[in-house]
């Protein structure tokens, strides 16, 4: 019992602050409808291709051709005062391209002139034609020429295929790439124009946390009441149970005391009545047993002489004083008192609903006001007044770009047709080489005599000469197309793409004075005065909002507009100021307390219950009446004297009657007395402590219950407030993220710039440069191809003269006919 009291005291003294808020359930995470910008600028990326090694090789080649950095001074002069541009500056920067132009010009002039000279020489039969003599080394030379021509043909074929593929890829990428420019500009304008609608859609999503909070408000009061009841019920129920036990002790103790007093009185009176009867019975039995006629009666004479009374309850302590003190108790109805206390405590949840109804209604009204405050995010959003500069600049760029793009598309069509035609000619030259080598080699294998004419060998030689003729005829067109595309594509790569990747172009644009006033992008796009294109690009790339990069007359700080206290201050204050009393429970009224105090000082614990127990150990009669009666009955059977035998039977019957009528009744009273003594003796040592503990516990619970209930109320309201503030924080965080990352993000501007680089450099310039590089490889390998084809042609035609000797074959100026031996 003492341990239970200590446990209850610990429960009472435990601070409510140690209680923790309930963990957030999955439902506490709000789910917002996806609200994205209706107009998007999809990000483009470089697509891995099997031609990437070729693209990389071309870029390294162009880096060798053009090693100069971005010509800042030259570009500044060209943009601000084109007439001041000096030729020497252009030559110095384009020196690598000029050298390539000189090589191309030399090739353009030299190869056709060489072709004309070769044609003239062939017409005079001074070059080409047939070999004049057969030597042993001709087979080795022929094989070397075949291998060299095969290698050059394979290189030309591979380069031609690459040229065809890249030429087609340029065409495939050019049309969507050019179309993406106005589409992207138009998309940017639409994105900016749709920002207000997007912001309003984001603000309208406040309905999600508002409905969730209103739903939580509907159940918060009962939840608070149930939490108070759940956390305090152990303490309250323990106090009520303890009080019920003390009331039971009072009732039971009073009952047993009354039984004790009454039983002692009855036993005392019964002893007084039994004493003369027992003395008279003893005298008769002793006289009978002492009669000489009684046979064998001396054996039980001693037992009969000791027949006398035992326990004397007149000697036990009196409990009349205790009963007098407890007279009239209990004056209060403990059962009704406990029922009322239990009912009052169990009504706390309903009481909480009633007491919190007013503040719940005020919080609902506050949610309506909060919706109006959140609407101010959309109403105060500054973009519509400051984005018209950007929209105007984008519209102007869109209108100016379309004619230029149409011209580029038209010239690209011509380039593609010329590229396909020249690639077809190169494939035709390669086909002539392959057919010529195949026919010539086959003809040589079928010819027995080198001087014999073989039509297939001659046809192979002619195919080779057709390829040579086509090479001489179209080489100048090939080199012109190569140089034109090389000059355009190379400068795009080295002047634009290379400096676009390392952002040197942005630095050039940002440097004051580099661009003319009409091309001031900071002013045209209405960017911040302390900003530039590089800074704006980086900010937009990292997810800044449009309002953060524009030149606003008044600073607009979204973070200030999205601070939770700005919207939740009143909501939080109303909950913080709310207070009420929910734990006023009366467990023990004053009359009940007086009853228990009277019970404690009544002296129940001062009675010597040990004296009762000692007296109860003494039997009512010292000698067992049933035993003595059975002994007399046994002696009766042994008597020869009928008179003695009859008297023995009579005395035995009298003893049985005394036992059954008087002694057994007293023994039953002694048993009943023992039950009361046992209860009271067990209660007495702890009575003072139990009553004292019960009174102290009850008083402590009555005092602590309101305080504990108030602490739990504050804690539950605090947990509820934090939970609802998390809803606000989730929403405002989502608003900031959505506005910055999607609806009002300036990231599409950075994405558009990146897309422009991907389209121009990765998807158009790379295959464009790979095209002229592959076509140039074909063109320059035509020179060794022509040489090897001309040299190989002689080996496919019959040799003019042949000399046979026993030692070796030598060249002779005349032909010795073949002699055939005849058999006789």
């Amino acid at each position: 019992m003492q341990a239970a009291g200590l446990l209850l005291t610990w429960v009472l003294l435990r601070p409510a602050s140690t209680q923790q808020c309930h963990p957030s359930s999955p439902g506490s995470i709000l789910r917002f409808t996806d609200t994205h910008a209706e107009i998007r600028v999809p990000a483009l990326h470089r697509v891995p291709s099997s031609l990437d090694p070729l693209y990389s090789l071309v870029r390294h080649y162009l880096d060798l051709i053009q090693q100069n950095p971005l010509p800042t001074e030259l570009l500044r002069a060209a943009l601000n005062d084109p007439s001041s541009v000096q030729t020497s500056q252009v030559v110095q920067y384009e020196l690598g391209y000029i050298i390539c132009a000189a090589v191309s010009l030399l090739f353009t002039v030299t190869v056709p002139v060489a072709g004309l000279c070769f044609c003239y020489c062939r017409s005079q039969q001074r070059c080409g034609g047939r070999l004049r003599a057969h030597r042993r080394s001709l087979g080795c030379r022929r094989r070397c020429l075949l291998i060299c021509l095969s290698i050059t043909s394979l290189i030309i074929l591979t380069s031609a295929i690459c040229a065809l593929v890249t030429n087609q890829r340029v065409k495939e990428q050019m049309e969507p790439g050019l179309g993406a420019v106005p589409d992207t500009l138009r998309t940017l304008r639409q994105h900016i124009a749709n920002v207000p609608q997007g912001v309003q859609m984001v603000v309208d999503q406040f309905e999600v946390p508002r409905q969730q909070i209103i739903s939580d408000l509907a159940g918060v009061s009962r939840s608070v009441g149930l939490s108070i009841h759940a956390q305090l019920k152990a303490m309250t129920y323990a106090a009520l149970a303890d009080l019920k036990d003390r009331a039971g002790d009072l009732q039971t103790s009073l009952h047993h005391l009354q039984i004790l007093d009454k039983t002692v009185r009855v036993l005392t009176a019964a002893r007084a009545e039994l004493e003369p009867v027992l003395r008279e019975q003893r005298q008769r039995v002793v006289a009978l047993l002492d009669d000489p006629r009684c046979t064998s009666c001396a054996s039980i004479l001693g037992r009969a002489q000791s027949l006398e009374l035992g326990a004397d309850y007149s000697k036990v302590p009196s409990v009349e004083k205790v009963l007098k003190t407890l007279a009239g108790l209990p004056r209060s109805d403990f059962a009704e008192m406990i029922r009322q206390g239990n009912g009052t405590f169990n009504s706390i949840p309903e009481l909480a609903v009633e007491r919190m109804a007013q503040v719940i209604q005020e919080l609902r009204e506050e949610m309506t006001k909060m919706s109006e405050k959140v609407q101010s995010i959309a109403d105060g959003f500054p973009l519509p007044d400051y984005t018209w500069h950007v929209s105007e600049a984008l519209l102007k760029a869109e209108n100016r770009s379309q004619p230029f793009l149409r011209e580029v598309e038209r010239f690209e069509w011509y380039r593609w047709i010329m590229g396909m035609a020249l690639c077809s000619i190169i494939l035709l030259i390669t086909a002539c080489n392959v057919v010529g080598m195949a026919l010539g080699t086959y003809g040589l294998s079928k010819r027995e005599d080198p001087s014999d004419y073989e039509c297939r060998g001659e046809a192979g030689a002619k195919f080779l000469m057709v390829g040579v003729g086509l090479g001489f005829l179209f080489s100048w067109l090939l080199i012109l197309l190569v140089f034109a595309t090389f000059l355009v594509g190379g400068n795009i790569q080295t002047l634009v793409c290379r400096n676009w990747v390392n952002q040197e172009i942005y630095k050039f644009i940002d440097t004051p004075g580099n661009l003319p006033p009409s091309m001031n992008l900071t002013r045209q796009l209405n960017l911040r005065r302390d900003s530039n294109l590089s800074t704006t690009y980086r900010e937009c790339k990292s997810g800044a909002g449009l309002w953060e990069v524009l030149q606003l007359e008044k600073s607009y700080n979204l973070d200030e507009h999205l601070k939770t206290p700005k919207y939740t201050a009143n909501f939080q204050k109303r909950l913080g100021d709310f207070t009420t009393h929910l734990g006023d429970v009366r467990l023990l009224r004053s009359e009940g307390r007086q009853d228990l105090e009277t019970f404690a000082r009544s002296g129940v614990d001062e009675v010597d219950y040990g004296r009762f127990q000692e007296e109860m150990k003494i039997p009512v009669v010292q000698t067992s009446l049933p035993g003595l009666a059975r002994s007399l009955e046994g002696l009766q059977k042994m008597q020869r004297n009928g008179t003695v035998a009859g008297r023995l039977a009579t005395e035995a019957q009298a003893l049985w009657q005394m036992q059954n009528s008087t002694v057994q009744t007293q023994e039953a009273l002694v048993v009943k007395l023992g039950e009361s003594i046992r209860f009271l003796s067990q209660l007495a040592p702890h009575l003072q402590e139990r009553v004292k503990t019960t009174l102290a516990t009850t008083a402590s619970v009555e005092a602590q219950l309101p305080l504990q209930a108030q602490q739990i109320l504050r804690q539950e309201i605090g947990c509820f407030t934090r939970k609802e503030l998390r809803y606000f924080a989730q929403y405002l965080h989502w608003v900031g993220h959505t506005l910055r990352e999607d609806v009002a993000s300036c990231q599409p501007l950075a994405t558009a710039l990146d897309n422009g680089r991907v389209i121009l450099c990765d998807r158009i310039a790379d295959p464009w440069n790979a095209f002229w590089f592959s076509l140039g490889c074909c063109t320059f390998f035509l020179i060794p191809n022509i040489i090897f084809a001309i040299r190989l042609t002689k080996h496919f035609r019959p040799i003019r003269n042949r000399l046979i000797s026993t030692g070796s074959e030598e060249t002779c100026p005349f032909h010795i006919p073949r002699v055939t031996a005849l058999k006789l």
Side-chain angles (χ1 to χ4, degrees), residues 474-494:
F474 291 100
S475 60
W476 66 278
L477 283 176
L478 287 169
I479 197 65
L480 286 180
L481 180 61
V482 168
F483 178 72
T485 52
F486 160 71
L487 187 62
V488 175
N491 276 290
I492 289 176
Q493 173 61 36
T494 57

Short mmCIF file of all heavy atoms in Angstrom, two decimals, residues 474-494:
data_model
loop_
_atom_site.label_atom_id
_atom_site.label_comp_id
_atom_site.label_asym_id
_atom_site.label_seq_id
_atom_site.Cartn_x
_atom_site.Cartn_y
_atom_site.Cartn_z
N PHE A 474 35.66 17.56 -111.31
CA PHE A 474 34.84 18.09 -110.21
C PHE A 474 35.64 18.46 -108.97
O PHE A 474 35.07 18.85 -107.96
CB PHE A 474 33.77 17.07 -109.82
CG PHE A 474 32.71 16.87 -110.87
CD1 PHE A 474 32.77 15.78 -111.73
CD2 PHE A 474 31.67 17.77 -110.99
CE1 PHE A 474 31.80 15.60 -112.69
CE2 PHE A 474 30.70 17.57 -111.96
CZ PHE A 474 30.76 16.49 -112.82
N SER A 475 36.95 18.33 -109.04
CA SER A 475 37.74 18.63 -107.84
C SER A 475 37.60 20.09 -107.42
O SER A 475 37.58 20.41 -106.22
CB SER A 475 39.21 18.27 -108.08
OG SER A 475 39.70 19.04 -109.19
N TRP A 476 37.53 20.98 -108.37
CA TRP A 476 37.42 22.39 -108.01
C TRP A 476 36.09 22.71 -107.33
O TRP A 476 36.01 23.54 -106.43
CB TRP A 476 37.62 23.26 -109.26
CG TRP A 476 36.52 23.11 -110.27
CD1 TRP A 476 36.40 22.14 -111.20
CD2 TRP A 476 35.40 23.97 -110.43
NE1 TRP A 476 35.26 22.30 -111.94
CE2 TRP A 476 34.63 23.45 -111.48
CE3 TRP A 476 34.97 25.14 -109.78
CZ2 TRP A 476 33.45 24.03 -111.91
CZ3 TRP A 476 33.79 25.73 -110.21
CH2 TRP A 476 33.05 25.16 -111.26
N LEU A 477 35.00 22.03 -107.78
CA LEU A 477 33.72 22.23 -107.10
C LEU A 477 33.76 21.67 -105.67
O LEU A 477 33.23 22.27 -104.73
CB LEU A 477 32.60 21.53 -107.89
CG LEU A 477 32.11 22.24 -109.15
CD1 LEU A 477 31.09 21.38 -109.87
CD2 LEU A 477 31.52 23.59 -108.81
N LEU A 478 34.42 20.54 -105.54
CA LEU A 478 34.54 19.94 -104.21
C LEU A 478 35.28 20.87 -103.26
O LEU A 478 34.84 21.12 -102.14
CB LEU A 478 35.27 18.60 -104.30
CG LEU A 478 34.47 17.43 -104.90
CD1 LEU A 478 35.38 16.25 -105.17
CD2 LEU A 478 33.37 17.03 -103.94
N ILE A 479 36.42 21.41 -103.72
CA ILE A 479 37.22 22.23 -102.82
C ILE A 479 36.52 23.54 -102.52
O ILE A 479 36.63 24.09 -101.41
CB ILE A 479 38.62 22.47 -103.40
CG1 ILE A 479 39.57 22.96 -102.31
CG2 ILE A 479 38.58 23.44 -104.57
CD1 ILE A 479 39.80 21.95 -101.23
N LEU A 480 35.74 24.07 -103.48
CA LEU A 480 35.01 25.31 -103.22
C LEU A 480 33.92 25.08 -102.16
O LEU A 480 33.74 25.89 -101.25
CB LEU A 480 34.38 25.83 -104.52
CG LEU A 480 35.35 26.47 -105.53
CD1 LEU A 480 34.60 26.94 -106.76
CD2 LEU A 480 36.08 27.65 -104.90
N LEU A 481 33.18 23.95 -102.28
CA LEU A 481 32.15 23.64 -101.29
C LEU A 481 32.78 23.39 -99.92
O LEU A 481 32.28 23.84 -98.89
CB LEU A 481 31.33 22.43 -101.72
CG LEU A 481 30.21 22.00 -100.76
CD1 LEU A 481 29.20 23.13 -100.58
CD2 LEU A 481 29.52 20.74 -101.26
N VAL A 482 33.91 22.69 -99.94
CA VAL A 482 34.59 22.42 -98.66
C VAL A 482 35.02 23.72 -98.00
O VAL A 482 34.78 23.94 -96.81
CB VAL A 482 35.81 21.50 -98.89
CG1 VAL A 482 36.69 21.46 -97.65
CG2 VAL A 482 35.35 20.11 -99.25
N PHE A 483 35.63 24.63 -98.79
CA PHE A 483 36.12 25.86 -98.18
C PHE A 483 34.97 26.75 -97.70
O PHE A 483 35.05 27.36 -96.63
CB PHE A 483 37.00 26.63 -99.17
CG PHE A 483 37.49 27.93 -98.61
CD1 PHE A 483 38.46 27.95 -97.61
CD2 PHE A 483 36.97 29.14 -99.05
CE1 PHE A 483 38.90 29.15 -97.08
CE2 PHE A 483 37.40 30.34 -98.51
CZ PHE A 483 38.38 30.35 -97.52
N ALA A 484 33.89 26.83 -98.51
CA ALA A 484 32.75 27.68 -98.12
C ALA A 484 32.13 27.19 -96.80
O ALA A 484 31.89 27.97 -95.87
CB ALA A 484 31.72 27.71 -99.23
N THR A 485 31.88 25.89 -96.76
CA THR A 485 31.28 25.36 -95.52
C THR A 485 32.28 25.39 -94.37
O THR A 485 31.90 25.58 -93.21
CB THR A 485 30.80 23.92 -95.75
OG1 THR A 485 31.87 23.14 -96.29
CG2 THR A 485 29.62 23.89 -96.71
N PHE A 486 33.57 25.19 -94.69
CA PHE A 486 34.60 25.25 -93.65
C PHE A 486 34.69 26.65 -93.07
O PHE A 486 34.79 26.83 -91.84
CB PHE A 486 35.95 24.83 -94.27
CG PHE A 486 37.14 25.28 -93.48
CD1 PHE A 486 37.46 24.71 -92.25
CD2 PHE A 486 37.96 26.30 -93.96
CE1 PHE A 486 38.56 25.13 -91.53
CE2 PHE A 486 39.06 26.73 -93.24
CZ PHE A 486 39.36 26.14 -92.02
N LEU A 487 34.65 27.67 -93.91
CA LEU A 487 34.76 29.04 -93.44
C LEU A 487 33.59 29.40 -92.53
O LEU A 487 33.77 30.02 -91.47
CB LEU A 487 34.83 29.99 -94.63
CG LEU A 487 35.13 31.46 -94.29
CD1 LEU A 487 36.49 31.60 -93.65
CD2 LEU A 487 35.03 32.32 -95.55
N VAL A 488 32.38 28.99 -92.92
CA VAL A 488 31.20 29.30 -92.11
C VAL A 488 31.19 28.47 -90.82
O VAL A 488 31.11 28.99 -89.71
CB VAL A 488 29.92 29.06 -92.92
CG1 VAL A 488 28.68 29.26 -92.04
CG2 VAL A 488 29.87 29.99 -94.12
N GLY A 489 31.28 27.16 -90.99
CA GLY A 489 31.20 26.28 -89.82
C GLY A 489 32.36 26.45 -88.87
O GLY A 489 32.20 26.39 -87.64
N GLY A 490 33.56 26.65 -89.40
CA GLY A 490 34.72 26.83 -88.54
C GLY A 490 34.61 28.08 -87.70
O GLY A 490 34.93 28.06 -86.50
N ASN A 491 34.19 29.19 -88.30
CA ASN A 491 34.05 30.42 -87.53
C ASN A 491 32.92 30.32 -86.51
O ASN A 491 33.01 30.89 -85.41
CB ASN A 491 33.81 31.60 -88.48
CG ASN A 491 35.11 32.15 -89.02
OD1 ASN A 491 35.90 32.76 -88.30
ND2 ASN A 491 35.37 31.89 -90.31
N ILE A 492 31.85 29.61 -86.87
CA ILE A 492 30.78 29.42 -85.89
C ILE A 492 31.32 28.66 -84.69
O ILE A 492 31.04 29.00 -83.53
CB ILE A 492 29.60 28.68 -86.53
CG1 ILE A 492 28.88 29.59 -87.52
CG2 ILE A 492 28.62 28.19 -85.45
CD1 ILE A 492 27.75 28.92 -88.26
N GLN A 493 32.14 27.63 -84.95
CA GLN A 493 32.67 26.83 -83.86
C GLN A 493 33.69 27.62 -83.02
O GLN A 493 33.61 27.63 -81.79
CB GLN A 493 33.32 25.55 -84.42
CG GLN A 493 34.06 24.71 -83.40
CD GLN A 493 33.18 24.20 -82.29
OE1 GLN A 493 32.02 23.89 -82.52
NE2 GLN A 493 33.71 24.13 -81.08
N THR A 494 34.65 28.25 -83.69
CA THR A 494 35.73 28.90 -82.94
C THR A 494 35.35 30.28 -82.41
O THR A 494 35.83 30.69 -81.36
CB THR A 494 36.97 29.03 -83.84
OG1 THR A 494 36.63 29.76 -85.03
CG2 THR A 494 37.49 27.65 -84.23
#
